[in-house]
Amino acid sequence: MDAIANSSLGARRNEDIALDLLKFVSGVAGVGKTTGGSTGFNAPSTPKPEEHVTELLELYGRCLKAIEGKGE
């Protein structure tokens, strides 16, 4: 049992790496963030939370493909 627990400590799964990449890309690009209006500027429409989730899931899929070397 200890061998199984210790074997996962050294290597990271592709899913974990893709999640870290998703966090980085979404933070830099502002994906999934709501944009508030500012003086003199009104956004045409505010995206729904479901649209944010869909956008993030699609981005995660792209990150996972990039990590696995499959590309698009």
Side-chain angles (χ1 to χ4, degrees):
M1 186 69 146
D2 289 331
I4 295 172
N6 290 334
S7 67
S8 65
L9 294 177
R12 294 183 65 199
R13 296 183 337 181
N14 287 346
E15 291 83 3
D16 296 330
I17 297 169
L19 183 60
D20 286 341
L21 182 59
L22 167 74
K23 290 176 186 177
F24 173 76
V25 171
S26 63
V28 170
V31 176
K33 292 184 180 180
T34 58
T35 57
S38 62
T39 305
F41 175 77
N42 292 326
S45 65
T46 305
K48 296 179 182 179
E50 295 85 12
E51 293 171 355
H52 287 293
V53 171
T54 302
E55 190 175 44
L56 288 171
L57 288 173
E58 289 173 0
L59 180 58
Y60 174 77
R62 292 177 62 189
C63 290
L64 186 58
K65 285 181 183 178
I67 295 299
E68 292 174 344
K70 295 181 180 176
E72 284 191 36

